[in-house]
């Protein structure tokens, strides 16, 4: 197993590409028939030295760079093969593992990173709260030290895929007298068979259980060694996590980029291809007005692809400092709604009306209903615009009347 | 959302609103997701009792307007229905009743009493699969065969098709557009029930497999239905615009309230300038939508022959379908994550607005219609 | 002269309409050939009791209502006749006269209002300053009491038509130790042959002198009786002026509405008609994509017309309280740029390129260059959005760190 | 605005920028408003000396690339020209030089030396009055008459037509698209000088009144110019996109700086969230524009035969013409009243961007082209 990784020492990107290509062709399944055991496939990648390509070797990675990782997944896509890229891998390996790498104790890193990279454990995040929205630092979930353990009380929401994951990185308040950003801690909470933890899947707009969950913590006991970073330094850990999230969602950093993920039917509609296919099916591909709209979708997604490469290059070369992934996330968030409206135009009545008694149909209409998800989850468009203007351009920060107050004195939601 | 209503209209709005709030709250709307019909017959009769189905019918046929402007009266119901995403075949029943009152034979007008009382439901079969909402696009054939007429073809997106006892069908004869009224149990006619992303609004397809009817089924002359069809379209679009405006109005109202109550970063989110400015834009779109919706209804009431009604109806539809959808869309954003869950009511409105965008013609189609009417 | 006005006592709108129609047909020139002496025409209106229709009779008005005024100008338009409606009347009679009516001393009103309504005097406003922009209350023009007179020093900018007007209503600071809104005064400054006043016409984007002016005041002496309102209550006067301005620009209140003004060539391009004419001329009227854009322009201008009526009705019936004219101004401001882009699309290369050596051509291009004017002048789109959100919807005000400070301590423009 | 330039390219950008700042500051650009030509011949020779006109010409013909990617090299000049709204017939000279180098006869290639040195100016006559910027729209006729060819018709919007000594003309023969090179003093040819709303960019119309030329005037075969024309269009659009991006980049940079310096209501205007959010959107559009401009140039350099270059060039043009115009437009708004005066420099950029929107095809035309290339 370490042999595979040994080949990688100081390997340049082009040599790596040739080696990766050969391995991919010999080992990975066809993209259209990938089977259904992504965990086994991830283990194969790991055992062959192709999981966690940019992670240090001592934690099970290949010790190479993000450029190597990008090359690997480009080759996978070019060869029309499949490597696990969607949920939960995108989150567990693309966002949580790098956060552990940045802030976890040596013990946590040694114990969990290899398992995460191998797919034996999948992790996700527990940040947002029912009353909190975008104001993550306003978390009111309570984490209390009790001898050798911590006790967790409160609720989290909008946690994607918590029902299928093994651990959740949970942001909770440990000091209520400190200002909001300085009384938080991050802790890894096991999600299976945990006494006091109730997990519910939130019903999506289509009426079916979605991938967002809600968790209620009632005196949940968590070992002290699960703390990630120091007590009361949880905001720094969350910032790191959000950095990796933005990059992963935008397709930079440790994430795989949405373009690598296996498209579902609904995702297919969320691309120019899906809309074009609808137009052809409805026989309206020749409509000059709809052609403008379809071209617009194609243009935006094409722009996204090249902007991705540009921002990756800027970060790689150090010309772009700071959370530039926000620009990609902002674009996706702004585009999703526009694209859904284009879908409605192209889909016409067939996009919202169908024969039969199924409650779900009309792919354009359903895509429209859920389009705002990407503009809200993972940091709303508004949060991204704040980040872009304040942290990429250095414009003055928004006044935050609660920033320096002891958290216990902060005004929260009111009901008139 | 006219600012200057007559006292009768004010009272009518009030009773309509109270009726919907007590007899069709959003919880009840949600429950009807499971029902094939989308509405309850008894409830519909109660709504009819309030006058929902009689406004476009003259007094001598059992109807009557409140103000002398029947479409403006009906708009009040449509707005309130939009605010409560209400069920019920309001547009098709009123369109059919109006046309029968003007162009129907005495026998056909006998149906009106049932429509007015709510005992009968009728639907208008106009659009065809994959085609635009334009009279020119009608291809269903009507052939005169001795004293009979024979219909062949297919209709789609027919609101309440499977719930209706009668259909008003727009067909094309050699002589031009022609309409017939027939019962849905006529031989050779198959109704294929369907649904929409709207929680309670049901649509169906109708297959006409050489449906043979006596000449008495004709509504007006063979080839002489152009004016009736145009008027039906105008009424349908005017009522639909009012409904969409009502939906956006309610969503905007509750969202602005929410933004004032919801705190983030130690401030109500309504204090963030970026949101305030978007809310200001939304109010502009909403007020302009209200102005256009009322203007369209007034023009249809005036039944002007200079094309003013046709033009204003299309102007209103294009503006409202786009801008009210944008209002609802940005309100989802302002509501945050909860706005994209089943539990939150906003998706009920998103659904209605998305269906209304497409039905009776998209904004793109109506813009083209405006360009044509302006003789560009 | 008073006879004409006497007819108007308690006259209902429909009777007035009939009387007005007859008078218009007998007296007003054809809209397309109105001659060039608007002053004489305004005098005719005044002498016949049709100027200042909604102004009190004691100040030369007809003592009727704004509804009567609207009917009069509707009839003028319907009869294809011409009454003075553009600049400077829109400003002098539509905005300045009502401000004098609201706040002027009895003496000022008796002396100037009849002259303004008769067109013998034209007035305009001196509010913005070179360094001030939208922050009108931050004015730094200095007004100092000196015995029986005031002395004015400073500079004003963006004053439309100052070079053609007789008086300017000037907002200046009289108390530097009061908070910004509480140290201002409004004074009427004569603009002709005034010692110490230098007036320059600002060059517009087309390279020619535009209608905006800049004024420099160097110890300009103004009589004390020219003060409008009390000393240090100038902000209330300015608010009143801005209220009338928004209404007039939007086409409500005492203004005539842009739809009544005589269209210039450039204004013609600023309407759906202009764009449609361009399309026909270029032979691209059949292009389905451009047809969508032209229809959009037509739809927006049509919406504007009916929204105008709606808001006028709301204000008339008291259902709309507050500065609802802002909504109309916001729409015009947002539309102008969009409409100019539609003009560029329809105009194509012919909109920006022309034969010959004239420096100005390409009507779509020139319209595009100046389109932002309406989005900035008379209160920017941003100011209107603040007004709409704060004063029509009651959302919380923007934090103004300078609001309660003595003005002398307020931080102003910095140069890094 | 590539992030990874070669050392030679970095140096080239630096010398280009310095040259423009010292030899063509905005004050000088403004002065050229009065000049019929829009640029100074001596200045153009100095620019040519820096390499502006030699990048798309192979070494054996007196040119040479810096990096092996000639279009990417030329893009550097275009970007800097955009940042300084510079004068000079950069696009036409490079397009003509490139085509003569590939398809010209030895005699025709003799012109290249003059183009490279800046002593000669050439223009490309392609579009026609009122028609779209599409090879299919070319109607100017070329008739073969014995050993001669005869041109009849009219060209329009020809950059530097009245300043050029030679024209590359795209015409339609029975056999298809055909190109010729001719001197502007050829009998039967009339150049009608014209202007544009750009301060320094001059366009002209060209009338061909049965212009008779020897067969040696042909650039390539009769009917065989399709590939050359497509390549010329791709180069022109790629360079134009880079220029528009450069213009928007400079406007954005100065406007953000201004917004930080300018105080209103006791705060820098850049602290108002509504403006911050619009500035964030602008940065997104700008960075995406840069990414697409570079991608288009790279594809044209790669000269891919799978349609990638054609598609990306149209994608870039459609995106950049729309979004960079929007950036400049909103920057005018952020500058307030001063932004709509002659004194402020922003209108120089608005002018350039508006002309660039139309020339070489509008965003609408390029979207249609994208749809066609995608075989929708």
């Amino acid at each position: 197993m370490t042999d595979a990784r040994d080949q990688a020492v100081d390997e340049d990107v082009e040599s790596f590409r040739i080696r990766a290509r050969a391995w991919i062709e010999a080992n990975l399944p066809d993209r259209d028939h990938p089977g259904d055991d992504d965990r086994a496939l991830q283990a194969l990648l790991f055992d062959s030295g192709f999981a966690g390509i940019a992670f240090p070797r001592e934690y099970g990675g290949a010790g190479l760079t993000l450029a190597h990782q990008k090359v690997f997944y480009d080759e996978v896509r070019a060869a029309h093969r499949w490597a696990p890229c969607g949920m939960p891998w995108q989150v567990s390996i693309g966002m949580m593992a790098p956060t552990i790498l940045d802030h976890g104790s040596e013990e946590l890193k040694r114990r969990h990173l290899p398992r995460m990279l191998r797919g034996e454990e999948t992790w996700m995040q527990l940040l947002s709260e029912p009353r909190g929205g975008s104001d993550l630092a306003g978390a009111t979930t309570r984490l209390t030290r009790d001898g050798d353990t911590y006790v967790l009380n409160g609720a989290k929401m909008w946690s994607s895929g918590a029902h299928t994951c093994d651990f959740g990185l949970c942001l909770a308040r440990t000091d209520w007298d400190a200002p909001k950003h300085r009384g938080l801690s991050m802790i890894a909470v096991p999600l299976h068979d945990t006494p006091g933890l109730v997990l519910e899947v939130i019903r999506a707009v289509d009426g079916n259980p979605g991938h967002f969950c809600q968790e209620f913590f009632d005196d949940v006991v968590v070992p002290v060694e699960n703390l990630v970073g120091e007590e009361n330094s949880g905001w720094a850990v969350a910032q790191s996590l959000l950095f990796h999230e933005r990059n992963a969602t935008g397709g930079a950093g440790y994430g795989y980029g949405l373009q690598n993920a296996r498209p579902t039917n609904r995702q297919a509609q969320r691309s120019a291809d899906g809309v074009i296919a609808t137009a052809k099916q409805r026989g309206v591909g020749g409509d000059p007005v709809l052609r403008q709209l379809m071209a617009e979708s194609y243009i935006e997604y094409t722009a996204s692809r090249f902007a991705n490469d540009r921002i990756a290059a800027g970060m790689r070369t150090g010309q772009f400092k700071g959370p530039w992934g926000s620009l990609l996330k902002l674009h996706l968030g702004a585009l999703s709604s526009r694209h859904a409206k284009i879908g409605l135009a192209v889909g016409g009545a067939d996009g919202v009306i169908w024969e039969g008694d199924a409650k779900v149909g009309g792919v354009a209409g359903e895509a429209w209903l859920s389009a705002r998800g990407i503009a809200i989850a993972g940091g709303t468009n508004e949060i991204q615009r704040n980040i872009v203007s304040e942290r990429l351009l250095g414009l003055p920060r928004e006044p935050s009347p609660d920033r320096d107050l002891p958290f216990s004195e902060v005004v929260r939601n009111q009901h008139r | 959302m006219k600012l200057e209503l007559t006292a009768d209209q004010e009272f009518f709005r009030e009773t309509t609103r109270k009726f919907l709030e007590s007899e069709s709250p959003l919880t009840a709307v949600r429950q009807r997701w499971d029902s094939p019909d989308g509405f309850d017959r008894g409830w519909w009769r109660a709504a009819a009792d309030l006058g929902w189905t009689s406004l476009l019918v003259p007094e001598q046929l059992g109807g009557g307007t409140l103000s002398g402007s029947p479409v403006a009266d009906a708009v009040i119901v449509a707005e309130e229905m939009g605010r409560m995403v209400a069920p019920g075949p309001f547009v098709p029943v009123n369109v059919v009743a109006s046309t029968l009152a003007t162009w129907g034979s005495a026998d056909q007008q006998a149906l009106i009493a049932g429509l007015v009382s709510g005992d009968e439901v009728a639907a208008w079969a106009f659009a065809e699969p994959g085609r635009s909402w334009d009279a020119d696009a009608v291809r269903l054939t009507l052939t005169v065969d001795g004293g009979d007429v024979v219909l062949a073809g297919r209709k789609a997106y027919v609101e309440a098709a499977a719930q209706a006892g009668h259909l008003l069908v727009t067909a094309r004869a050699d002589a031009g557009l022609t309409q017939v009224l027939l019962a849905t149990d006529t031989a050779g006619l198959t109704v294929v029930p369907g649904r929409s992303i709207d929680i309670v609004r049901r649509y169906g397809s109708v297959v006409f497999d050489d449906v043979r009817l006596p000449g008495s089924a004709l509504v007006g002359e063979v080839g002489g239905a152009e004016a009736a069809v145009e008027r039906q379209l105008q009424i349908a679009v005017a009522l639909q615009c009012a409904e969409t405006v009502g939906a956006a109005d309610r969503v905007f109202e509750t969202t602005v309230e929410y933004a004032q109550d919801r705190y983030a970063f130690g401030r109500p989110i309504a204090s963030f300038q970026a949101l305030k400015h978007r809310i200001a834009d939304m109010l502009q779109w909403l007020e302009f939508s209200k102005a256009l919706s009322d203007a369209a209804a007034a023009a249809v009431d005036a039944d002007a022959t200079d094309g003013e009604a046709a033009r204003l109806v299309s102007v209103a539809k294009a503006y409202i379908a786009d801008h009210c959808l944008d209002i609802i869309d940005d309100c989802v954003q302002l509501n945050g994550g909860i706005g994209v869950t089943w539990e939150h009511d906003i998706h009920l409105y998103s659904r209605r607005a998305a269906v209304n965008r497409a039905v009776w013609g998209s904004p793109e189609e109506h813009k083209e219609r405006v360009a044509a009417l302006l003789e560009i």
Side-chain angles (χ1 to χ4, degrees), chain A, chain B:
Chain A
M1 182 174 119
T2 41
D3 286 359
R5 261 173 281 273
D6 280 344
Q7 292 181 39
V9 177
D10 293 335
E11 188 176 25
D12 70 44
V13 169
E14 285 313 309
S15 316
F16 174 79
R17 183 193 296 277
I18 290 160
R19 183 165 65 88
R21 188 179 296 164
W23 184 88
I24 287 163
E25 284 177 5
N27 291 281
L28 289 183
D30 186 86
R31 195 173 188 78
D32 298 329
H33 305 93
D36 53 8
D37 195 351
D38 272 0
R39 264 190 203 234
L41 213 46
Q42 186 66 26
L44 173 65
L45 285 173
F46 184 86
D47 296 343
S48 309
F50 291 113
I53 290 166
F55 283 80
R57 290 155 46 84
E58 59 266 41
Y59 306 128
L64 292 166
T65 69
L66 289 173
H68 293 80
Q69 176 183 304
K70 179 173 187 304
V71 157
F72 184 80
Y73 287 92
D74 284 351
E75 290 295 326
V76 170
R77 199 168 69 246
H80 205 73
R81 300 302 173 94
W82 173 250
C85 275
M87 297 296 171
W89 317 101
Q90 170 85 343
V91 172
S92 187
I93 302 181
M95 310 176 196
M96 301 303 116
T99 305
I100 299 292
L101 186 65
D102 293 345
H103 295 278
S105 67
E106 191 59 27
E107 189 195 334
L108 267 182
K109 289 192 272 195
R110 290 204 180 264
R111 185 180 339 134
H112 291 288
L113 283 178
R115 293 184 199 163
M116 292 167 84
L117 298 180
R118 197 166 190 272
E120 289 167 24
E121 272 176 14
T122 53
W123 288 46
M124 43 72 64
Q125 61 195 8
L126 301 168
L127 299 184
S128 296
E129 299 189 355
R131 294 163 56 99
S134 296
D135 186 8
L136 298 179
T140 59
T141 294
R142 181 181 296 267
L143 185 68
T144 316
R145 182 74 180 245
D146 180 19
D148 282 350
T149 61
Y150 280 106
V151 179
L152 193 63
N153 279 288
K156 290 286 174 180
M157 201 172 180
W158 313 123
S159 23
S160 311
H163 56 310
T164 64
C165 284
D166 304 301
F167 283 87
L169 274 182
C170 180
L171 186 68
R173 190 162 303 279
T174 32
D175 184 347
W176 294 71
D177 296 321
K180 60 191 285 196
H181 296 88
R182 281 177 260 156
L184 296 164
S185 302
M186 189 74 85
I187 195 159
V189 182
L191 299 173
H192 293 314
D193 307 320
T194 307
L197 169 58
V198 174
L199 195 150
E200 286 174 4
V201 180
I202 298 171
R203 227 172 148 189
V205 272
D206 61 7
N208 296 318
H211 71 285
F212 287 114
C213 298
Q214 182 159 14
E215 300 80 23
F216 301 93
F217 306 100
D218 182 14
D219 282 337
V220 171
V221 174
V222 192
V224 168
E225 56 267 28
N226 279 22
L227 205 66
V228 180
E230 302 294 308
E231 192 172 286
N232 294 329
S233 73
W235 186 242
V237 184
Q239 287 290 98
S240 175
L241 191 162
L242 294 172
F243 174 83
H244 294 302
E245 172 172 12
R246 279 188 298 267
N247 287 340
T249 309
Y254 292 88
Y256 308 108
L258 297 177
Q259 71 269 32
N260 283 312
R262 191 166 15 180
T264 63
N265 278 344
R266 185 178 282 176
Q267 279 162 349
Q269 187 66 17
R270 288 193 189 140
S271 74
D273 287 353
V275 174
I276 292 167
T278 298
K280 288 183 175 171
Q281 198 185 321
R282 296 192 65 222
V284 296
D287 181 307
V289 176
L290 299 182
R291 286 165 75 81
Q292 291 278 309
L293 297 176
M294 290 184 272
E296 181 188 331
S297 266
Y298 177 81
I299 288 164
E300 290 289 344
Y301 283 105
T302 304
S304 176
R305 180 153 63 92
F306 288 104
N308 232 297
D309 293 349
R310 174 176 173 81
I311 285 175
M315 295 176 78
R316 194 169 61 239
T317 59
Q319 292 174 79
F320 289 170
K321 295 187 203 328
W324 279 76
S326 279
L327 222 48
L328 302 171
K329 172 72 171 72
L330 173 57
H331 176 257
L332 283 182
L335 175 57
S336 65
S337 165
R338 171 69 187 157
H339 178 69
K341 280 171 200 153
I342 290 174
L344 287 180
V346 172
D350 297 323
V352 290
I353 294 172
W354 57 93
E355 293 182 356
D357 58 4
K359 290 178 184 171
V360 174
V363 63
E366 295 288 339
W368 148 253
L369 289 177
S370 58
R372 280 280 165 194
I374 186 77
I376 294 167
T380 62
N381 290 354
E382 291 73 26
I383 293 291
Q384 305 306 334
R385 289 190 182 106
N386 279 349
I387 292 171
V388 169
S389 57
E390 294 174 5
R391 296 175 59 192
L392 302 189
L393 290 168
L395 303 189
R397 293 183 66 95
E398 279 308 291
S400 299
D402 64 343
R403 206 174 166 75
D404 300 314
L405 286 181
F407 188 74
S408 48
E409 292 172 24
V410 167
V411 183
R412 298 194 284 277
N413 291 354
Q414 291 191 330
H415 295 277
R416 292 183 304 182
Chain B
M1 304 260 159
K2 253 180 98 175
L3 295 169
E4 294 165 294
L5 294 178
T6 67
D8 285 348
Q9 287 178 318
E10 292 278 13
F11 181 74
F12 185 55
R13 183 187 293 286
E14 210 174 298
T15 52
T16 301
R17 185 173 293 192
K18 279 189 188 150
F19 172 75
L20 283 169
E21 281 170 358
S22 68
E23 304 304 317
S24 186
L26 295 185
T27 47
V29 170
R30 285 171 176 273
Q31 280 161 11
R32 296 208 197 288
W33 202 39
D34 293 324
S35 96
D37 285 350
F39 68 98
D40 177 85
R41 300 282 167 160
W43 176 87
W44 181 245
R45 276 189 293 268
D49 275 351
L50 293 180
W52 288 20
T53 50
S54 57
L55 297 161
L56 302 189
V57 171
E59 276 182 44
Q60 64 275 24
L61 291 170
T65 92
L66 298 170
S67 64
S69 300
V71 179
D73 295 341
V75 147
I76 293 171
V77 178
E79 287 165 351
E80 295 301 319
M81 289 180 76
R83 286 178 59 89
M84 296 295 280
V85 281
F90 178 70
V91 168
V93 165
N94 274 292
V95 162
V96 174
S98 163
T99 276
L100 293 183
T102 309
W103 284 282
S105 64
D107 274 1
Q108 288 166 337
Q109 289 181 342
L111 178 61
I112 292 178
L115 296 175
V116 166
S117 70
D119 291 322
E120 293 278 355
V121 167
W124 177 25
F126 173 61
E128 301 183 8
R131 305 188 63 88
S132 72
W133 299 77
D134 197 290
D136 289 346
V138 170
R139 290 288 174 277
L140 183 104
T141 58
L142 179 144
T143 318
V144 179
D145 183 17
D148 289 350
V149 296
V150 181
L151 296 174
R154 192 178 177 109
K155 292 286 179 181
Y157 328 122
V158 180
E159 185 181 343
Q163 288 72 43
H166 290 80
L167 294 180
L168 174 67
V169 182
T170 306
R172 184 164 299 285
D174 285 343
L177 279 187
T178 307
Q179 297 200 114
V180 300
L181 181 74
L182 79 177
T184 47
D185 59 2
T186 304
L189 181 151
T190 312
V191 174
V192 185
R195 292 184 68 116
S196 74
I197 63 161
D198 188 87
I199 296 289
V200 293
R201 195 153 278 170
R202 304 287 179 262
Y203 293 85
S205 300
V206 189
V207 184
F208 296 82
D209 189 8
D210 288 331
V211 174
R212 178 171 292 269
L213 300 166
S216 61
L218 289 164
V219 181
E221 303 290 310
V222 173
E226 202 167 315
V229 170
E230 173 63 25
R231 175 125 187 109
Q232 287 160 215
L233 266 176
Q234 289 178 10
I235 293 171
V237 175
L239 295 180
Q240 182 199 53
C241 283
E243 184 186 63
T244 306
V245 169
D249 191 48
R250 180 76 185 136
V251 167
F252 180 72
E253 188 178 293
T254 54
T255 301
V256 170
E257 204 172 302
Y258 172 81
Q260 287 171 290
D261 285 348
R262 173 89 173 180
Y263 273 62
F265 307 101
R267 304 160 54 176
I269 63 170
S271 74
F272 285 97
Q273 196 191 35
L275 303 194
K276 285 165 62 181
H277 279 202
R278 275 155 48 193
I279 288 171
D281 284 341
M282 285 192 249
L283 181 65
Q284 185 252 294
W285 302 333
L286 184 60
E287 286 296 327
F288 278 54
S289 293
K290 291 177 182 176
L292 278 181
S293 167
D294 289 334
V300 177
D301 269 329
D303 200 11
T305 50
D306 61 353
E308 174 87 352
R311 207 163 59 237
L312 271 182
V313 153
S314 284
V315 163
K317 167 83 198 219
Y319 189 93
I320 289 166
D322 268 345
H323 287 92
C324 287
L325 201 79
D326 283 345
I327 290 171
I328 294 172
D329 182 36
D330 205 22
C331 283
V332 173
Q333 183 74 22
L334 294 187
N335 276 281
I338 193 78
V340 284
T341 65
W342 177 260
E343 304 311 326
H344 197 285
D345 289 331
I346 199 168
H347 72 89
L348 308 179
Y349 295 87
S350 285
R351 290 166 179 274
R352 177 68 50 95
V355 172
N356 280 0
R357 184 194 195 281
V359 169
W360 308 122
S362 67
E364 293 78 24
E365 286 163 17
H366 281 280
K367 278 183 208 160
E368 174 52 38
R369 203 168 172 214
V370 167
L373 291 167
L374 292 174
E375 295 175 4
I376 299 180

